[in-house]
Amino acid sequence: MSQTAAQLVAALRRGRRDATAEVTVLADRPDATVVRCGHVVAKAHPPGTDPAELAVRLGVAAHPRCAGILLPPVDDGMGALPDGRRVTLWPYGEPVAPDAPDAAPWVEAGKLLARLHAVPVAELPGPLPAMRGPVKAARAIARLRAAALPDSAAIRAVLHAWAGLPGWARGVDRTDDRTDRVDLDRTDRRDLGDRGGHRGHRDRTDRRDYADRQEVDRLCHGDLHLGQLIRHRTTDWRLIDIDDLGLGDPAWDLARPAAWYAAGLLAPEDWDRFLGAYRAAGGSAAGQGDPWPRLDVPARALTVQTAALALAKAAAAGRALDGAEEAMVEAAVRIARYMEAVG
């Protein structure tokens, strides 16, 4: 148990006024430490978390407009740990079972995202910070570079694919950056077969300028994956983890499932269920026709982010890539090769 986890356990027991209460450590990582005591979960947020931005995000999670979408916090004023990390309390809920992929709540995830993206931001506490997805992608690349790994074709490909993204997707420019799209559907699906019925050809002249897009100021989760859903009650799913919540392009919230689908890690029927549920619930981030013109850039960014983290983590642990990591690195390699082919 890390020092942060030990401090969090002690703080939670004090808050519960029970020095011997049974506490379970659910996560103990540098970027997040989470412990459970009965029906309450305490989370130590990442070092350097802005207290003002966290307060706004907590206010959004507790706001009536987000009821039934985001898990609301427990108002208990935990404050900060001795090491300075901010602490928040949440109701405990059952997570998605990792050993039951057929029961994964893709339909529920799609519906929740559609509802989140439709929340009127003018009625929420503010000022709302920016959604942090692109910043996290940039940090993944920084981590890969800081690892100073021996040169390899995979690392070169990941960095080349990263350099081909527009500035807003790299977290460095939100207003004036234009780039040709590299089509994930063409670079990945051509090797995986036409599953899901998406077209494999696009017009490279289609450019996506961040400032010109119509939906850049929607409320976004920022880090959507199945680990961010819990059952608050027997049948009610909720979105958790507000660290990356904020204003941004809602297409980013669809990007990780899209990247998994393009890399062959998400079954076509699950992708169709997720996207179909999102659209049926009024979600507009992917349009109503071919989703790839809207999802291409965010999905590429998540592909590269995941590949960069995979390479860095595997090297740090002295192990080979696992199957899922290998698939994402290969997807990044295909993106880089396509970029080279089209100039």
Side-chain angles (χ1 to χ4, degrees), residues 143-177:
R143 179 172 175 176
L144 176 62
R145 287 173 170 151
L149 303 179
D151 183 47
S152 70
I155 292 175
R156 290 195 302 272
V158 167
L159 295 178
H160 185 54
W162 174 253
L165 291 167
W168 72 265
R170 291 181 282 117
V172 296
D173 185 353
R174 294 173 58 87
T175 58
D176 188 20
D177 189 283

Side-chain angles (χ1 to χ4, degrees), residues 117 208-218 248-251 284-285 287 294:
H117 295 164
R208 297 189 63 209
D209 185 282
Y210 190 90
D212 290 342
R213 286 175 297 155
Q214 298 179 351
E215 300 197 7
V216 297
D217 288 327
R218 298 295 183 92
D249 183 351
S284 59
R294 294 293 313 280

